[in-house]
Amino acid sequence: MKYKYIFLLILLQIQLLYAENGYRLWLRYDKINNNKTLSYYQNSIKKIFIETSTPTSKVLKEEMRNGITGLLHQSPIFTNDRLEADIIFSINTKAKNLSEEGFTLQSKKITKNRFKIIVNAKKDIGLLYAGFELLRMIQTAQKIDSLNTISNPSLSLRILNHWDNLNRHVERGYAGISIFNWHNLPAYIDQRYIDYARANASIGINGTVVTNVNANATILTHAYLLKTKALADAFRPYGIKVYLTAKFSAPIEIDHLKTADPLNPEVQKWWQNKAKEIYELIPDFGGFLVKANSEGQPGPQNYNRTHADGANMLADAVAPFKGIIIWRAFVYSNDTPEDRFKQAYNEFKPLDGSFRNNVLLQVKNGPIDFQPREPFHPLFGAMPNTPIMMELQLTQEYLGQATQLVFEAPMFKEILNADTYAKGANSTVASVIDGSLFNHKALNGCSSVANIGNDINWCGHPFAQANWYAFGRLAWNTNLSSEAIATEWTKQTFSTAPPIVASITKMMLNSYDAMVEYMTPLGLHHIMGNNNHYGPMPWGNTLARADWNPVYYHKADSMGIGFNRTVSGTNALDQYSKQVQKNWIDSNSCDEKYLLWFHHISWNHRMKSGRTLWNELCFKYNDGVEAVKKMQALWQHAQNGIDAERFHQVEQLLSIQLTEAEWWRDACLLYFQTFSKEPFPINYPKPKYSLAYYQSLQFPYAPGGGQ
Ligand code: GCU
């Protein structure tokens, strides 16, 4: 009896040891289970030479040791003799065609069956990126005997923005509380920080803003700067710079100055001293990210100064230390009765050319606020003399939060590939943010609002990790396809078996369009629940500001639905170049994905499908729901090829997703029907509940809201 008990206990422990709880992310280094592939790698990788012995090289060595030992069940020997090594990591400061973080990988034949891999980089961080690339190739079972790759990042700044508060609440976070435990810092370095840095380095992320854009001045006090230093020290070997959010009123809040006016010499001095204090602790501190005069945050306009005055004052403070200022363009005024779509452009376009050369303007992908599908922001291409960064959102604030599987790479690609026509055809958003279009070679980049929390699997939904992964990979190489990213992530995260990869990637690649269809088809936007942004609430009209309310955005009435942004409406379209306007200006030829963004359309308008608008709306909503059922079916194919733990998690979440998709369809259509007065198409699924029922739903404790 006693032995049986012990045996069971051991079994349980083994199970726990092997339980796939998602903590390892895509860096799972389990033994390759195809014998032929395994022996190919085992024969090719025995000895490794690493030229440098910096902290970053030590990270590389450990990663190669863990990776190779796990994947090949064979410990690599680290040799000091470059001649006998199979992989040679060496620095070449003069390497042509290489940027500071780039690397080359070359295979050289030695004999018929033997080859060496030569890795070159200008700096040790390039070698680390190359090491991760090699491990990724092994994890995804690619040949390594004929490599001839040059890899340079497309963007120089590849940054995560954490909306994490000092009390560990994460604004719009759906994966637990913040991983940054400020209370225990600086003395306690959580293993999580190291694992976080490793994961970021593996996909080329090189910066992190560790505090919320709705900033707290306390982070700039000395005690908190010491904590920030501890994080910066932990992240440095992984090539990750730390940035902080700067609250504009910090001089008043911390040191009781009378003003925070950016033109006041005392205020300027305060920031200069603060910068000095920070750089003494963190010599490679990245700089400040600033949300000013937006949604209640203080800023230069409190003192009748411009955004440029504010940004430049901070830029001057960090310039002696090579710091930068990332100034957010997510600004809309409380007083202006102007279409919110237009406000950021109106505010910033006239300031083009008036920022210091260490300032970047950070612009959200679309003009409103991370909606399921937005046209690209009109500021892309409109400010040739200012480096423009793009801000994406990984955390799924408006994209089903942590209960829905939505792979965001197709959305990111849609925006990157959009043509601004700023300098004729092919002036893509990608070419704006990589600095090539307007020659901002030194300062360019992209950031993403993180979806990371202290949940065991980091991101809440097991598939949300793929969005973190996709951001890093795309920021490194904007040309990668969504399919390539989904495929490599799936192979690393779940399985390399072709049928499993095929089902999972298909599910991922369909998920973005599915979500847009069952939430906001045909260009609807901002019709989600108040405050927590959870679920549908197209009827919402009780919030203080008109432009926080859904009814402001869809403008449904007895005539039709949609926001007229043409010349007979708010004329927001005029903020785009003439060629872009052509795609959207005529309601008959407008790309229907964006139709209701720009037009108020009558209910019986003929769509390209031949259906009326009302019927098309019904059709699209239901199409989205049906797509979720297909995702469920595809997931069933994975059952026998992956671990039970994650299979069941995703199975349950997909079932929630289906319920939520039906809820969106039924609630939105029942509400819009009160205007269209049209019946549902024949054989259309009957809504489960009444409109009154959907309108009565409340979610006071939905996650992610508030401070
Ligand atoms: C959204 C989000 C806020 C956030 C804001 C921002 O409005 O709901 O929580 O603060 O974006 O980007 O600043």
Side-chain angles (χ1 to χ4, degrees):
M1 187 62 201
K2 194 172 149 208
Y3 288 115
K4 198 173 158 201
Y5 178 71
I6 292 173
F7 177 71
L8 276 178
L9 213 71
I10 293 173
L11 248 186
L12 186 76
Q13 288 214 313
I14 291 176
Q15 251 191 347
L16 280 180
L17 214 62
Y18 286 96
E20 280 282 4
N21 57 22
Y23 185 83
R24 293 185 297 165
L25 296 160
W26 48 88
L27 297 172
R28 293 158 70 252
Y29 295 140
D30 291 343
K31 187 179 172 193
I32 293 172
N33 59 15
N34 176 316
N35 284 340
K36 210 171 138 206
T37 316
L38 181 65
S39 60
Y40 165 75
Y41 291 123
Q42 281 175 335
N43 291 334
S44 328
I45 307 173
K46 294 195 168 111
K47 294 187 177 171
I48 298 176
F49 169 83
I50 301 177
E51 188 175 77
T52 48
S53 59
T54 60
T56 299
S57 316
K58 287 193 185 115
V59 169
L60 169 65
K61 188 170 175 183
E62 270 327 289
E63 200 65 36
M64 293 309 287
R65 191 199 310 282
N66 288 338
I68 301 291
T69 310
L71 288 159
L72 311 188
H73 265 217
Q74 165 179 296
S75 306
I77 296 165
F78 290 93
T79 169
N80 290 327
D81 181 355
R82 118 181 5 236
L83 290 177
E84 63 166 17
D86 302 304
I87 306 180
I88 301 163
F89 285 95
S90 70
I91 297 285
N92 180 354
T93 48
K94 299 210 177 71
K96 282 202 192 99
N97 306 326
L98 271 191
S99 67
E100 294 302 292
E101 298 169 296
F103 60 84
T104 56
L105 291 174
Q106 276 174 314
S107 313
K108 289 231 161 86
K109 269 228 147 38
I110 310 279
T111 62
K112 192 160 164 278
N113 295 321
R114 279 193 55 72
F115 63 93
K116 280 178 189 291
I117 296 175
I118 322 278
V119 184
N120 269 306
K122 281 194 171 163
K123 291 193 168 155
D124 52 1
I125 187 64
L127 297 182
L128 179 61
Y129 290 148
F132 277 117
E133 176 78 17
L134 274 173
L135 290 168
R136 177 161 42 241
M137 296 186 93
I138 300 172
Q139 279 180 291
T140 55
Q142 296 175 55
K143 288 263 182 212
I144 52 170
D145 46 50
S146 46
L147 299 173
N148 190 10
T149 318
I150 302 180
S151 188
N152 286 314
S154 304
L155 309 174
S156 34
L157 300 168
R158 307 176 297 279
I159 302 182
L160 283 179
N161 289 183
H162 287 265
W163 285 358
D164 294 16
N165 295 322
L166 301 182
N167 64 5
R168 300 189 76 181
H169 175 266
V170 180
E171 183 156 345
R172 310 306 176 188
Y174 311 101
I177 59 171
S178 172
I179 56 168
F180 304 120
N181 186 342
W182 294 99
H183 185 66
N184 286 350
L185 281 165
Y188 187 80
I189 298 299
D190 194 325
Q191 180 59 32
R192 275 259 176 164
Y193 305 149
I194 310 296
D195 295 336
Y196 162 83
R198 251 185 87 218
N200 280 328
S202 77
I203 49 176
I205 288 173
N206 65 359
T208 177
V209 185
V210 291
T211 48
N212 191 357
V213 285
N214 293 322
N216 183 335
T218 308
I219 192 66
L220 298 179
T221 59
H222 196 71
Y224 275 80
L225 291 177
L226 289 173
K227 295 169 190 276
T228 309
K229 171 190 163 46
L231 287 179
D233 289 345
F235 297 162
R236 189 168 296 110
Y238 298 85
I240 295 164
K241 280 189 184 180
V242 166
Y243 298 73
L244 292 175
T245 46
K247 189 162 188 186
F248 212 75
S249 53
I252 301 174
E253 292 185 41
I254 297 177
D255 282 320
H256 312 294
L257 264 63
K258 293 226 163 49
T259 173
D261 180 350
L263 300 195
N264 177 302
E266 257 185 84
V267 173
Q268 294 169 350
K269 191 80 203 142
W270 189 91
W271 283 105
Q272 285 157 16
N273 289 340
K274 191 50 74 181
K276 195 158 163 276
E277 181 186 348
I278 296 176
Y279 280 93
E280 269 164 16
L281 296 171
I282 311 168
D284 57 353
F285 178 67
F288 294 124
L289 169 66
V290 189
K291 172 175 179 177
N293 293 118
S294 168
E295 298 183 335
Q297 292 298 303
Q301 290 180 332
N302 296 25
Y303 308 95
N304 291 325
R305 311 295 184 198
T306 67
H307 282 276
D309 292 331
N312 291 344
M313 183 264 296
L314 293 176
D316 290 341
V318 296
F321 314 99
K322 298 199 167 43
I324 61 169
I325 300 302
I326 303 175
W327 195 266
R328 293 179 90 224
F330 180 69
V331 162
Y332 55 100
S333 154
N334 216 357
D335 323 310
T336 333
E338 178 60 284
D339 178 0
R340 180 169 152 191
F341 186 118
K342 295 169 68 177
Q343 293 190 31
Y345 179 101
N346 289 348
E347 186 77 53
F348 285 97
K349 164 97 179 140
L351 298 176
D352 189 26
S354 46
F355 292 97
R356 299 280 191 271
N357 61 10
N358 57 337
V359 176
L360 293 110
L361 196 63
Q362 181 164 291
V363 177
K364 287 190 182 180
N365 57 287
I368 298 294
D369 189 7
F370 299 135
Q371 292 302 296
R373 173 171 273 135
E374 298 206 23
F376 70 86
H377 200 298
L379 277 174
F380 292 116
M383 296 181 65
N385 302 308
T386 310
I388 304 279
M389 267 178 96
M390 177 153 66
E391 177 176 326
L392 300 167
Q393 192 183 43
L394 303 178
T395 190
Q396 292 168 239
E397 176 178 359
Y398 303 102
L399 273 56
Q401 305 189 349
T403 44
Q404 299 192 16
L405 189 168
V406 179
F407 180 50
E408 295 170 340
M411 173 171 80
F412 302 160
K413 290 294 292 186
E414 203 168 282
I415 296 291
L416 286 168
N417 293 341
D419 201 338
T420 69
Y421 287 93
K423 282 170 82 179
N426 249 331
S427 306
T428 59
V429 171
S431 74
V432 174
I433 66 163
D434 71 13
S436 60
L437 192 68
F438 297 123
N439 203 17
H440 296 296
K441 278 290 166 205
L443 217 52
N444 59 68
C446 190
S447 63
S448 249
V449 181
N451 57 357
I452 296 162
N454 77 339
D455 272 8
I456 191 74
N457 71 2
W458 300 85
C459 302
H461 195 301
F463 274 78
Q465 298 176 358
N467 294 330
W468 178 7
Y469 183 86
F471 166 63
R473 297 290 288 142
L474 273 175
W476 185 274
N477 181 357
T478 50
N479 288 323
L480 281 178
S481 69
S482 301
E483 193 178 355
I485 297 169
T487 304
E488 57 177 50
W489 179 80
T490 301
K491 287 182 176 173
Q492 293 171 89
T493 308
F494 284 111
S495 163
T496 50
I500 307 286
V501 175
S503 307
I504 295 183
T505 53
K506 188 161 182 205
M507 183 175 74
M508 292 168 77
L509 293 168
N510 293 341
S511 62
Y512 173 61
D513 277 329
M515 178 272 304
V516 174
E517 289 194 333
Y518 63 69
M519 284 189 189
T520 53
L522 301 176
L524 284 170
H525 51 282
H526 210 290
I527 56 171
M528 68 290 154
N530 284 344
N531 305 322
N532 58 39
H533 298 167
Y534 175 62
M537 198 193 272
W539 49 84
N541 68 353
T542 53
L543 293 180
R545 288 182 60 132
D547 58 7
W548 281 349
N549 285 309
V551 295
Y552 170 89
Y553 293 96
H554 63 68
K555 301 206 185 304
D557 56 22
S558 60
M559 306 297 291
I561 184 169
F563 199 132
N564 181 358
R565 293 190 166 105
T566 66
V567 71
S568 58
T570 66
N571 208 15
L573 258 175
D574 199 44
Q575 296 184 334
Y576 291 98
S577 71
K578 289 281 170 276
Q579 286 88 334
V580 175
Q581 290 183 34
K582 265 195 211 151
N583 296 332
W584 297 331
I585 205 157
D586 178 347
S587 59
N588 290 310
S589 58
C590 177
D591 181 345
E592 289 181 353
K593 287 202 286 238
Y594 303 109
L595 187 64
L596 304 180
W597 271 100
F598 297 111
H599 300 276
H600 190 73
I601 299 289
S602 68
W603 293 110
N604 57 12
H605 169 92
R606 273 294 145 206
M607 302 292 287
K608 286 175 188 153
S609 63
R611 297 183 194 99
T612 63
L613 170 68
W614 167 252
N615 281 341
E616 185 77 1
L617 208 56
C618 296
F619 176 82
K620 287 282 179 197
Y621 266 111
N622 197 48
D623 220 30
V625 171
E626 290 302 316
V628 179
K629 293 182 188 161
K630 286 184 197 133
M631 286 161 64
Q632 286 182 306
L634 285 165
W635 185 243
Q636 289 304 316
H637 294 317
Q639 178 159 22
N640 295 325
I642 69 163
D643 54 285
E645 184 168 356
R646 288 180 301 169
F647 177 78
H648 288 305
Q649 283 176 346
V650 175
E651 191 183 40
Q652 293 177 75
L653 287 165
L654 282 171
S655 148
I656 296 178
Q657 185 164 356
L658 181 61
T659 308
E660 290 178 341
E662 288 170 342
W663 169 31
W664 270 92
R665 177 195 62 195
D666 295 348
C668 291
L669 288 177
L670 281 172
Y671 169 73
F672 292 136
Q673 194 179 37
T674 64
F675 300 98
S676 80
K677 310 274 188 231
E678 295 281 341
F680 286 116
I682 305 163
N683 295 333
Y684 200 77
K686 203 173 153 354
K688 279 208 177 107
Y689 303 98
S690 67
L691 177 59
Y693 167 80
Y694 292 119
Q695 289 181 321
S696 73
L697 295 176
Q698 287 188 10
F699 305 94
Y701 302 113
Q707 283 282 319

